């Protein structure tokens, strides 16, 4: 690892910490989730080491329903670290500066939503972000900057890429563990088979992962919307929109040639679903073999039980398994079989395993599985994809360089 961590940070300093507490908001109420629990490790360690701890985080984007204040986040985080988290409805104005200067060692303060700062959001070079009033004002109040927001590390926002150029910078515990686990497919050598379970809604993500990792991965097990598009390329009457849908046709139009080429060139590494699940006339789950589909007349919401049975031996025989994206609409219990089936197969296997990609890891908690049964459960979406495909993570690179 090439960046400094909390192990390198001397006690009793004024520390500015970037977290990613972006959470679902339902009827105006911020929902607790694993991000609070994960980041609590970093925040608690800093507070216990007598630092004056000032936290930055974002929530939503301007104009969206979930673009709200972080006041509720402070209360939720306090419950996870078992100590008070102060909040100030300001980011770098006089109110924020007064609150920062009044802190004692061990105190924790959360600043207002960074995306309420005009200079935060537009993507720009780190050097440009470092010169913003936002960064230049806050840098005077701190001895060190800690970035724990791995899941936002692919963004070039001021709070992520500006501060490493003006303050001694360190990786928090989430940043450290996420980087190590998510980079392992590129950096580690595995003696046995490496399997990747690939699903989700974006064909471009799946194609990118396959192209980047074809020499590292022995087999790709497909599902989700992307998997259905590959079935279409394989000659099956699936993978297109029915009335009221907007999931398949546009992606097919943009990616048909690439999907067909990937299937031709990497076909011996690609394992496609053998059956699909749908909602029958009684609103129950029903399954149909892919070979029996002569006309798509219903939405397919999951891979079927036979597909799980087909995928399971690949998983059991692997030394490492990586998961990117869900195989079906697991939020609906009727259509969780594919996603939970492969996760349970991984949990039952003594292999190195990383689960990530958007909300996929949420299925572990929703269906009573234990994170301890997996080597790493990522809370990152876009950054996880970038790590898998070898694309740059600007915030990580800046930690490494500074």
């Amino acid at each position: 690892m090439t960046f400094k961590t909390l192990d390198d940070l001397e006690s009793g300093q004024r520390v500015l910490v970037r977290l990613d507490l972006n959470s679902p908001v339902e009827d105006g109420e911020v929902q607790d989730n694993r991000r609070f629990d994960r980041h609590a490790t970093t925040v608690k360690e800093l507070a216990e080491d007598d630092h004056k701890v000032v936290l930055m985080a974002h929530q939503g984007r301007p104009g969206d329903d979930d673009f709200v204040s972080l006041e509720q986040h402070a209360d939720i985080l306090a419950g996870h670290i078992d100590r008070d988290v102060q909040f100030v409805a300001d980011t770098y104005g006089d109110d924020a500066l007064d609150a920062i200067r009044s802190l004692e060692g061990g105190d924790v303060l959360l600043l207002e939503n960074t995306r309420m700062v005009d200079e935060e959001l537009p993507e720009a070079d780190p050097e440009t972000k470092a010169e913003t009033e936002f960064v230049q004002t806050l840098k005077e109040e701190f001895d060190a900057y800690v970035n724990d927001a791995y899941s936002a590390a692919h963004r070039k926002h001021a709070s992520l890429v500006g501060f490493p150029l003006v303050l001694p910078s360190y990786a928090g515990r989430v940043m450290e563990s996420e980087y190590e686990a998510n980079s392992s497919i590129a950096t580690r050598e595995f003696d046995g088979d490496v399997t990747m379970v690939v699903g989700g809604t974006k064909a471009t993500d799946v194609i990118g992962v396959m192209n980047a990792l074809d020499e590292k991965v022995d087999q790709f097990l497909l599902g989700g919307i992307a998997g259905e598009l590959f079935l279409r390329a394989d000659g099956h009457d699936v993978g297109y929109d029915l009335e009221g849908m907007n999931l398949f046709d546009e992606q097919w139009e943009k990616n048909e040639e690439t999907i067909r080429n990937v299937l031709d060139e990497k076909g011996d590494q690609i394992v496609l679903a053998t059956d699909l699940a749908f909602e029958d006339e009684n609103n129950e789950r029903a399954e149909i073999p892919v070979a029996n589909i002569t006309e798509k007349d219903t939405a397919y919401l999951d891979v079927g039980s036979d597909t799980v049975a087909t995928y399971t031996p690949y998983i059991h025989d692997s030394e490492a398994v990586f998961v990117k994206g869900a195989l079906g609409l697991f939020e609906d219990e009727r259509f969780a079989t594919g996603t939970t089936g492969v996760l349970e197969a991984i949990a039952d296997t003594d292999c190195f395993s990383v689960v990530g990609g958007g909300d996929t890891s949420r299925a572990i908690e929703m269906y009573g599985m234990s994170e301890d049964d997996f080597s790493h459960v990522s809370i990152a979406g876009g950054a996880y994809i970038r790590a898998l495909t070898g694309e740059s993570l600007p915030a990580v690179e800046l930690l490494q360089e500074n």
Side-chain angles (χ1 to χ4, degrees):
M1 192 163 300
T2 55
F3 44 60
K4 293 181 180 178
T5 71
L6 301 191
D7 298 329
D8 303 301
L9 183 60
E10 293 184 8
S11 303
Q13 299 199 63
R14 301 171 302 167
V15 181
L16 181 64
V17 187
R18 179 57 157 94
L19 309 179
D20 184 357
L21 301 178
N22 195 41
S23 305
V25 178
E26 298 178 8
D27 298 323
E29 185 172 337
V30 176
Q31 303 298 299
D32 195 351
N33 61 51
R34 60 166 45 86
R35 285 184 172 174
F36 288 94
D37 187 55
R38 294 283 183 85
H39 286 302
T41 301
T42 294
V43 177
K44 194 169 185 177
E45 182 175 341
L46 289 168
E48 290 176 350
D49 203 20
D50 203 37
H51 295 291
K52 298 176 182 179
V53 184
V54 178
L55 309 174
M56 297 184 296
H58 72 275
Q59 174 62 53
R61 282 180 176 267
D64 291 348
D65 292 340
D66 63 348
F67 182 60
V68 299
S69 169
L70 298 189
E71 186 171 6
Q72 294 180 60
H73 298 67
D75 291 335
I76 296 171
L77 183 60
H80 285 276
I81 67 172
D82 201 25
R83 67 171 65 207
D84 184 49
V85 175
Q86 301 174 43
F87 173 75
V88 59
D90 187 20
T91 310
Y92 69 100
D94 290 340
D95 289 346
L97 297 179
D98 288 344
I100 291 167
R101 291 165 184 166
S102 68
L103 295 176
E104 303 288 339
D107 286 350
V108 180
L109 169 69
L110 177 61
L111 302 178
E112 184 56 285
N113 189 342
T114 60
R115 291 185 175 175
M116 293 181 179
V117 176
D118 290 340
E119 297 172 320
E120 165 73 349
L121 265 185
E123 299 256 343
D125 292 335
E127 291 77 14
T128 301
K129 291 300 188 182
E131 291 300 319
T132 59
E133 183 182 4
F134 171 36
V135 173
Q136 289 294 315
T137 300
L138 284 182
K139 77 171 186 179
E140 301 300 327
E141 307 298 323
F142 296 96
D143 305 304
Y145 168 76
V146 173
N147 193 342
D148 210 31
Y150 178 87
S151 50
H154 55 305
R155 304 294 188 191
K156 291 182 180 178
H157 297 159
S159 61
L160 295 159
V161 300
F163 290 102
L165 296 183
V166 298
L167 288 169
S169 299
Y170 304 82
R173 297 308 185 196
V174 170
M175 176 68 75
E176 185 180 356
S177 63
E178 289 273 9
Y179 175 79
E180 184 176 355
N182 296 344
S183 303
S184 60
I185 196 164
T187 59
R188 286 182 59 162
E189 291 292 332
F190 298 103
D191 294 330
D193 278 4
V194 176
T195 293
M196 174 154 277
V197 181
V198 197
T201 60
K202 296 179 182 178
T204 51
D205 283 352
V206 172
I207 294 165
V209 168
M210 287 182 170
N211 284 332
L213 299 177
D214 63 341
E215 294 184 3
K216 290 277 186 178
V217 173
D218 296 282
Q219 53 264 327
F220 297 94
L221 314 180
L222 269 60
I225 289 170
E228 196 173 328
L229 287 168
F230 271 80
L231 284 171
R232 177 173 176 175
D234 198 42
H236 300 283
D237 192 45
V238 297
Y240 56 84
D241 291 326
L242 300 176
E243 186 176 352
M245 280 187 189
N246 185 26
L247 298 170
F248 296 98
D249 291 345
E250 184 177 349
Q251 291 200 69
W252 178 256
E253 184 178 338
K254 291 179 179 178
N255 299 290
E256 176 185 358
E257 183 178 357
T258 306
I259 292 172
R260 291 190 185 281
N261 288 340
V262 169
L263 199 56
D264 287 342
E265 295 170 7
K266 310 182 200 300
D268 58 341
Q269 294 172 268
I270 297 172
V271 186
L272 299 175
T274 57
D275 59 345
L276 297 171
F278 61 95
E279 182 181 68
D280 67 13
E281 64 274 9
N282 298 316
N283 298 323
E284 299 289 338
R285 176 188 176 101
E287 299 181 350
I288 182 172
V290 170
N292 291 357
I293 300 174
T294 56
E295 179 183 1
K296 181 176 181 178
D297 55 8
T298 186
Y300 297 112
L301 303 174
D302 191 16
V303 299
S305 304
D306 185 70
T307 299
V308 175
T310 300
Y311 288 178
T312 296
Y314 288 104
I315 293 168
H316 285 171
D317 292 340
S318 294
E319 185 185 351
V321 181
F322 294 81
V323 179
K324 180 270 144 199
L327 299 190
L329 191 68
F330 71 83
E331 293 86 352
D332 184 329
E333 188 174 358
R334 296 171 300 169
F335 302 106
T337 299
T339 302
T340 59
V342 297
L343 289 174
E344 287 167 354
I346 295 166
D348 289 340
T349 305
D350 185 20
C351 66
F352 179 82
S353 56
V354 179
V355 178
D359 289 335
T360 311
S361 57
R362 222 163 25 97
I364 294 171
E365 183 178 4
M366 282 183 65
Y367 293 98
M369 290 176 267
S370 172
E371 289 192 10
D372 294 340
D373 290 331
F374 306 89
S375 303
H376 182 72
V377 177
S378 178
I379 56 174
Y384 178 62
I385 297 301
R386 288 215 179 190
L388 292 177
T389 56
E391 292 185 58
S392 66
L393 294 170
V396 173
E397 290 178 356
L398 286 163
L399 286 179
Q400 293 171 331
E401 293 167 5
N402 297 280

